[in-house]
Short mmCIF file of all heavy atoms in Angstrom, two decimals:
data_model
loop_
_atom_site.label_atom_id
_atom_site.label_comp_id
_atom_site.label_asym_id
_atom_site.label_seq_id
_atom_site.Cartn_x
_atom_site.Cartn_y
_atom_site.Cartn_z
N ASP A 145 -14.98 36.84 9.23
CA ASP A 145 -15.28 37.84 8.22
C ASP A 145 -15.91 39.10 8.82
O ASP A 145 -16.09 40.09 8.12
CB ASP A 145 -16.27 37.26 7.18
CG ASP A 145 -15.55 36.43 6.13
OD1 ASP A 145 -14.32 36.47 6.09
OD2 ASP A 145 -16.22 35.74 5.34
N ASP A 146 -16.22 39.06 10.13
CA ASP A 146 -16.71 40.30 10.76
C ASP A 146 -15.54 41.22 11.14
O ASP A 146 -15.72 42.23 11.81
CB ASP A 146 -17.58 40.00 11.99
CG ASP A 146 -16.84 39.22 13.10
OD1 ASP A 146 -15.60 39.21 13.07
OD2 ASP A 146 -17.51 38.67 13.96
N HIS A 147 -14.31 40.86 10.67
CA HIS A 147 -13.10 41.67 10.83
C HIS A 147 -12.64 41.77 12.29
O HIS A 147 -11.95 42.72 12.67
CB HIS A 147 -13.28 43.09 10.25
CG HIS A 147 -13.70 43.08 8.82
ND1 HIS A 147 -12.92 42.58 7.80
CD2 HIS A 147 -14.86 43.48 8.23
CE1 HIS A 147 -13.57 42.68 6.67
NE2 HIS A 147 -14.74 43.23 6.89
N THR A 148 -13.01 40.79 13.11
CA THR A 148 -12.46 40.76 14.47
C THR A 148 -11.53 39.57 14.60
O THR A 148 -11.67 38.56 13.90
CB THR A 148 -13.59 40.63 15.53
OG1 THR A 148 -14.30 39.40 15.31
CG2 THR A 148 -14.53 41.79 15.44
N CYS A 149 -10.57 39.72 15.51
CA CYS A 149 -9.62 38.62 15.74
C CYS A 149 -9.28 38.62 17.22
O CYS A 149 -9.42 39.61 17.92
CB CYS A 149 -8.35 38.79 14.93
SG CYS A 149 -7.13 39.84 15.74
N ARG A 150 -8.82 37.45 17.69
CA ARG A 150 -8.35 37.37 19.06
C ARG A 150 -7.07 36.52 19.05
O ARG A 150 -6.95 35.61 19.82
CB ARG A 150 -9.40 36.70 19.92
CG ARG A 150 -10.74 37.41 19.90
CD ARG A 150 -11.70 36.72 20.82
NE ARG A 150 -11.17 36.66 22.16
CZ ARG A 150 -11.68 37.28 23.21
NH1 ARG A 150 -12.74 38.02 23.05
NH2 ARG A 150 -11.16 37.17 24.39
N TYR A 151 -6.17 36.82 18.13
CA TYR A 151 -4.96 35.99 18.03
C TYR A 151 -3.76 36.79 17.64
O TYR A 151 -3.84 38.00 17.45
CB TYR A 151 -5.21 34.85 17.04
CG TYR A 151 -4.23 33.74 17.10
CD1 TYR A 151 -3.80 33.26 18.32
CD2 TYR A 151 -3.73 33.18 15.94
CE1 TYR A 151 -2.90 32.25 18.39
CE2 TYR A 151 -2.82 32.14 16.02
CZ TYR A 151 -2.41 31.68 17.25
OH TYR A 151 -1.50 30.66 17.34
N LEU A 152 -2.59 36.09 17.50
CA LEU A 152 -1.35 36.80 17.26
C LEU A 152 -1.04 37.00 15.79
O LEU A 152 -0.58 38.05 15.41
CB LEU A 152 -0.22 36.01 17.95
CG LEU A 152 1.00 36.85 18.32
CD1 LEU A 152 0.62 38.02 19.17
CD2 LEU A 152 2.00 35.96 19.06
N MET A 153 -1.27 35.97 14.95
CA MET A 153 -1.00 36.14 13.52
C MET A 153 -2.30 36.00 12.77
O MET A 153 -3.00 34.99 12.89
CB MET A 153 -0.02 35.08 12.99
CG MET A 153 0.36 35.32 11.55
SD MET A 153 1.37 34.01 10.81
CE MET A 153 0.09 32.97 10.10
N VAL A 154 -2.66 37.01 12.00
CA VAL A 154 -3.94 37.04 11.28
C VAL A 154 -3.68 37.35 9.81
O VAL A 154 -3.06 38.39 9.50
CB VAL A 154 -4.90 38.08 11.88
CG1 VAL A 154 -6.24 38.08 11.12
CG2 VAL A 154 -5.15 37.80 13.37
N ALA A 155 -4.16 36.48 8.93
CA ALA A 155 -4.01 36.72 7.49
C ALA A 155 -5.30 37.36 6.98
O ALA A 155 -6.39 36.87 7.27
CB ALA A 155 -3.74 35.41 6.77
N GLU A 156 -5.15 38.43 6.22
CA GLU A 156 -6.30 39.14 5.68
C GLU A 156 -6.40 38.85 4.17
O GLU A 156 -5.38 38.75 3.48
CB GLU A 156 -6.17 40.65 5.89
CG GLU A 156 -6.05 41.01 7.37
CD GLU A 156 -5.73 42.49 7.60
OE1 GLU A 156 -5.70 43.25 6.60
OE2 GLU A 156 -5.51 42.87 8.77
N LYS A 157 -7.63 38.73 3.66
CA LYS A 157 -7.80 38.39 2.26
C LYS A 157 -7.22 39.44 1.33
O LYS A 157 -6.95 39.17 0.17
CB LYS A 157 -9.30 38.18 1.96
CG LYS A 157 -9.80 36.83 2.41
CD LYS A 157 -11.25 36.58 2.08
CE LYS A 157 -11.69 35.22 2.60
NZ LYS A 157 -13.13 35.02 2.52
N ASN A 158 -7.03 40.66 1.84
CA ASN A 158 -6.48 41.73 1.00
C ASN A 158 -4.97 41.58 0.77
O ASN A 158 -4.35 42.42 0.12
CB ASN A 158 -6.80 43.10 1.61
CG ASN A 158 -6.07 43.34 2.93
OD1 ASN A 158 -5.22 42.57 3.33
ND2 ASN A 158 -6.46 44.38 3.63
N GLY A 159 -4.37 40.51 1.34
CA GLY A 159 -2.97 40.24 1.07
C GLY A 159 -2.02 40.58 2.20
O GLY A 159 -0.81 40.35 2.10
N THR A 160 -2.53 41.10 3.31
CA THR A 160 -1.67 41.48 4.44
C THR A 160 -1.77 40.45 5.55
O THR A 160 -2.83 39.92 5.83
CB THR A 160 -2.10 42.86 5.00
OG1 THR A 160 -2.01 43.83 3.95
CG2 THR A 160 -1.22 43.30 6.16
N ILE A 161 -0.62 40.16 6.19
CA ILE A 161 -0.59 39.29 7.38
C ILE A 161 -0.12 40.17 8.53
O ILE A 161 0.93 40.80 8.44
CB ILE A 161 0.38 38.09 7.19
CG1 ILE A 161 -0.10 37.23 6.02
CG2 ILE A 161 0.47 37.28 8.46
CD1 ILE A 161 0.90 36.14 5.63
N ARG A 162 -0.89 40.22 9.59
CA ARG A 162 -0.53 41.07 10.74
C ARG A 162 -0.27 40.22 11.99
O ARG A 162 -0.94 39.21 12.21
CB ARG A 162 -1.65 42.07 11.07
CG ARG A 162 -1.94 43.03 9.96
CD ARG A 162 -2.97 44.07 10.38
NE ARG A 162 -3.62 44.67 9.23
CZ ARG A 162 -3.09 45.65 8.51
NH1 ARG A 162 -1.93 46.16 8.85
NH2 ARG A 162 -3.72 46.14 7.47
N PHE A 163 0.68 40.66 12.81
CA PHE A 163 0.97 40.04 14.10
C PHE A 163 0.51 40.99 15.19
O PHE A 163 0.84 42.19 15.15
CB PHE A 163 2.46 39.77 14.23
CG PHE A 163 2.96 38.73 13.26
CD1 PHE A 163 3.20 39.05 11.94
CD2 PHE A 163 3.17 37.43 13.66
CE1 PHE A 163 3.67 38.12 11.03
CE2 PHE A 163 3.63 36.48 12.78
CZ PHE A 163 3.88 36.80 11.46
N TYR A 164 -0.22 40.45 16.15
CA TYR A 164 -0.80 41.29 17.22
C TYR A 164 -0.18 40.94 18.56
O TYR A 164 0.06 39.78 18.88
CB TYR A 164 -2.32 41.06 17.30
CG TYR A 164 -3.06 41.67 16.15
CD1 TYR A 164 -3.26 40.96 14.98
CD2 TYR A 164 -3.57 42.97 16.22
CE1 TYR A 164 -3.95 41.52 13.90
CE2 TYR A 164 -4.26 43.54 15.16
CZ TYR A 164 -4.44 42.80 14.01
OH TYR A 164 -5.12 43.35 12.94
N ASP A 165 0.03 41.99 19.36
CA ASP A 165 0.37 41.83 20.77
C ASP A 165 -0.97 41.81 21.53
O ASP A 165 -1.68 42.82 21.55
CB ASP A 165 1.24 43.02 21.21
CG ASP A 165 1.60 42.95 22.68
OD1 ASP A 165 0.83 42.36 23.47
OD2 ASP A 165 2.66 43.47 23.04
N LEU A 166 -1.28 40.68 22.13
CA LEU A 166 -2.58 40.54 22.77
C LEU A 166 -2.74 41.44 23.99
O LEU A 166 -3.82 41.94 24.29
CB LEU A 166 -2.86 39.10 23.18
CG LEU A 166 -3.23 38.14 22.05
CD1 LEU A 166 -3.53 36.77 22.60
CD2 LEU A 166 -4.44 38.67 21.28
N LEU A 167 -1.64 41.65 24.72
CA LEU A 167 -1.71 42.51 25.92
C LEU A 167 -1.94 43.97 25.54
O LEU A 167 -2.80 44.65 26.09
CB LEU A 167 -0.45 42.37 26.76
CG LEU A 167 -0.25 40.98 27.39
CD1 LEU A 167 1.07 40.92 28.12
CD2 LEU A 167 -1.40 40.65 28.35
N ALA A 168 -1.15 44.44 24.57
CA ALA A 168 -1.32 45.83 24.12
C ALA A 168 -2.50 46.00 23.17
O ALA A 168 -2.95 47.10 22.92
CB ALA A 168 -0.03 46.30 23.43
N GLN A 169 -3.00 44.88 22.66
CA GLN A 169 -4.13 44.87 21.71
C GLN A 169 -3.86 45.75 20.50
O GLN A 169 -4.68 46.57 20.10
CB GLN A 169 -5.42 45.28 22.42
CG GLN A 169 -5.84 44.30 23.48
CD GLN A 169 -7.25 44.54 23.97
OE1 GLN A 169 -7.84 45.58 23.76
NE2 GLN A 169 -7.82 43.55 24.61
N GLN A 170 -2.66 45.58 19.94
CA GLN A 170 -2.34 46.34 18.73
C GLN A 170 -1.40 45.55 17.84
O GLN A 170 -0.72 44.63 18.29
CB GLN A 170 -1.71 47.69 19.09
CG GLN A 170 -0.38 47.57 19.80
CD GLN A 170 0.15 48.94 20.21
OE1 GLN A 170 -0.57 49.91 20.26
NE2 GLN A 170 1.45 49.01 20.50
N ALA A 171 -1.40 45.88 16.53
CA ALA A 171 -0.55 45.20 15.58
C ALA A 171 0.90 45.61 15.81
O ALA A 171 1.19 46.80 16.04
CB ALA A 171 -0.98 45.53 14.17
N ILE A 172 1.83 44.66 15.75
CA ILE A 172 3.24 44.97 15.99
C ILE A 172 4.11 44.71 14.77
O ILE A 172 5.24 45.14 14.70
CB ILE A 172 3.79 44.15 17.19
CG1 ILE A 172 3.48 42.64 17.02
CG2 ILE A 172 3.24 44.66 18.50
CD1 ILE A 172 4.09 41.75 18.05
N LEU A 173 3.57 44.01 13.77
CA LEU A 173 4.34 43.66 12.59
C LEU A 173 3.36 43.29 11.48
O LEU A 173 2.31 42.70 11.76
CB LEU A 173 5.26 42.47 12.89
CG LEU A 173 6.05 41.84 11.75
CD1 LEU A 173 7.19 42.79 11.31
CD2 LEU A 173 6.66 40.50 12.18
N SER A 174 3.70 43.62 10.23
CA SER A 174 2.85 43.16 9.13
C SER A 174 3.71 42.70 7.96
O SER A 174 4.84 43.18 7.76
CB SER A 174 1.89 44.26 8.69
OG SER A 174 2.57 45.34 8.13
N LEU A 175 3.20 41.74 7.22
CA LEU A 175 3.83 41.19 6.02
C LEU A 175 2.91 41.46 4.84
O LEU A 175 1.68 41.43 4.99
CB LEU A 175 4.05 39.69 6.15
CG LEU A 175 4.82 39.19 7.38
CD1 LEU A 175 4.86 37.66 7.41
CD2 LEU A 175 6.24 39.74 7.39
N GLU A 176 3.49 41.70 3.67
CA GLU A 176 2.70 42.01 2.49
C GLU A 176 2.92 40.94 1.41
O GLU A 176 4.06 40.62 1.07
CB GLU A 176 3.10 43.37 1.91
CG GLU A 176 2.84 44.55 2.86
CD GLU A 176 1.37 44.75 3.17
OE1 GLU A 176 0.51 44.31 2.38
OE2 GLU A 176 1.06 45.33 4.23
N SER A 177 1.82 40.42 0.88
CA SER A 177 1.94 39.45 -0.22
C SER A 177 1.82 40.15 -1.58
O SER A 177 2.25 39.60 -2.60
CB SER A 177 0.84 38.39 -0.11
OG SER A 177 -0.42 38.96 -0.41
N GLU A 178 1.22 41.34 -1.60
CA GLU A 178 0.93 42.09 -2.83
C GLU A 178 0.10 41.28 -3.80
O GLU A 178 0.14 41.52 -5.01
CB GLU A 178 2.25 42.53 -3.49
CG GLU A 178 3.08 43.44 -2.62
CD GLU A 178 4.28 44.00 -3.34
OE1 GLU A 178 5.08 43.20 -3.85
OE2 GLU A 178 4.40 45.24 -3.40
N GLN A 179 -0.64 40.29 -3.31
CA GLN A 179 -1.53 39.49 -4.15
C GLN A 179 -2.83 39.24 -3.42
O GLN A 179 -2.86 39.16 -2.18
CB GLN A 179 -0.88 38.13 -4.48
CG GLN A 179 0.18 38.23 -5.54
CD GLN A 179 0.86 36.90 -5.79
OE1 GLN A 179 2.00 36.69 -5.40
NE2 GLN A 179 0.17 36.00 -6.43
N MET A 180 -3.89 39.13 -4.19
CA MET A 180 -5.21 38.83 -3.62
C MET A 180 -5.89 37.75 -4.47
O MET A 180 -5.60 37.64 -5.65
CB MET A 180 -6.09 40.10 -3.64
CG MET A 180 -5.63 41.20 -2.72
SD MET A 180 -6.54 42.72 -3.01
CE MET A 180 -8.25 42.18 -2.82
N PRO A 181 -6.79 36.98 -3.82
CA PRO A 181 -7.06 36.95 -2.40
C PRO A 181 -6.06 36.04 -1.68
O PRO A 181 -5.67 35.00 -2.19
CB PRO A 181 -8.47 36.33 -2.35
CG PRO A 181 -8.53 35.44 -3.54
CD PRO A 181 -7.68 36.06 -4.60
N LEU A 182 -5.64 36.49 -0.49
CA LEU A 182 -4.80 35.66 0.36
C LEU A 182 -5.75 34.71 1.10
O LEU A 182 -6.58 35.14 1.88
CB LEU A 182 -4.01 36.53 1.33
CG LEU A 182 -2.83 35.86 2.05
CD1 LEU A 182 -1.81 36.91 2.47
CD2 LEU A 182 -3.29 35.10 3.28
N MET A 183 -5.63 33.40 0.83
CA MET A 183 -6.64 32.46 1.32
C MET A 183 -6.23 31.70 2.58
O MET A 183 -7.07 31.22 3.32
CB MET A 183 -6.99 31.44 0.22
CG MET A 183 -7.62 32.06 -1.01
SD MET A 183 -9.07 33.09 -0.66
CE MET A 183 -10.19 31.86 0.01
N SER A 184 -4.91 31.55 2.80
CA SER A 184 -4.48 30.72 3.91
C SER A 184 -3.04 31.10 4.26
O SER A 184 -2.23 31.34 3.37
CB SER A 184 -4.56 29.23 3.52
OG SER A 184 -4.00 28.39 4.50
N ALA A 185 -2.74 31.17 5.56
CA ALA A 185 -1.36 31.43 6.01
C ALA A 185 -1.07 30.54 7.20
O ALA A 185 -1.97 30.16 7.94
CB ALA A 185 -1.18 32.90 6.40
#
Side-chain angles (χ1 to χ4, degrees):
D145 278 350
D146 60 17
H147 305 296
T148 61
C149 86
R150 303 182 57 114
Y151 195 41
L152 204 55
M153 186 187 92
V154 180
E156 301 172 5
K157 282 183 181 169
N158 66 10
T160 301
I161 298 172
R162 298 185 201 278
F163 294 79
Y164 287 88
D165 179 331
L166 284 184
L167 294 176
Q169 295 192 344
Q170 63 183 19
I172 51 174
L173 174 71
S174 66
L175 306 175
E176 297 296 337
S177 70
E178 299 187 304
Q179 283 176 253
M180 292 171 55
L182 195 155
M183 297 306 296
S184 173

